[in-house]
Amino acid sequence: MRGIWHFNQFTPQDMGQADTWLRRSIQTDPAFAQAHMMLARLLSTRIWWGWSQNIDQDLTDGYLAAAHAATLDERDPYCQYALFLFSILTRRHHQALAQAQRSIDLSSNFSLGYFALGWIRIYIGHFPEAIDPILRCQRLNPNDPQSGAHLAIVGLAYYHQGDYEAALRYAERGPRSRRHPL
């Protein structure tokens, strides 16, 4: 729980604290899938936000943590989401699409699954189909600490469709909705 709390503070320093607590949790109970899943999420966040000190190591450790979490609990949508994160980071787009869909199939109210589905659709060029899942993510979890990033992705989908006014609207809304300092 301390690791998750630090993760949600969303600062480089707190990510370091979260890493310590999550690895400690894994040492205490190596079969605890959620600790592996959160470690994978943390490592992907460090990579995406430019906070990684060693991207290659974080990619390797994160993928292993996500794959292990999904093996330990194949019915947990968060574990599928963690594996999605490393599939998209390593450009395994079809695998990422399948994992996003699998997370939703496991729980139709899993907000991050919808975010993942929209995000990967942008990566594979399906811009119009990307918007609804991400907006559904926002409706399911309007207080997500990373909702600003979600809205920015909606703006990106509109941008790629040539709707620059909508893209700008979402791009401006994103930073205002952030609850974490950058």
Side-chain angles (χ1 to χ4, degrees), residues 2 56 59 64 87 102 130 137 182:
R2 287 181 183 174
D56 292 335
L59 274 171
L64 290 173
S87 294
R102 171 105 170 106
C137 165
L182 289 181

Side-chain angles (χ1 to χ4, degrees), residues 133-144 147 150-151:
I134 299 172
L135 293 178
R136 185 168 184 177
C137 165
Q138 290 295 108
R139 288 190 305 274
L140 287 169
N141 189 4
N143 296 315
D144 187 310
S147 64
H150 301 170
L151 292 172

Side-chain angles (χ1 to χ4, degrees), residues 102-129:
R102 171 105 170 106
S103 72
I104 294 167
D105 293 344
L106 290 169
S107 176
S108 61
N109 289 320
F110 181 60
S111 65
L112 289 174
Y114 291 99
F115 171 67
L117 185 61
W119 188 8
I120 190 58
R121 285 179 174 172
I122 289 172
Y123 266 69
I124 61 176
H126 297 177
F127 309 118
E129 295 87 10

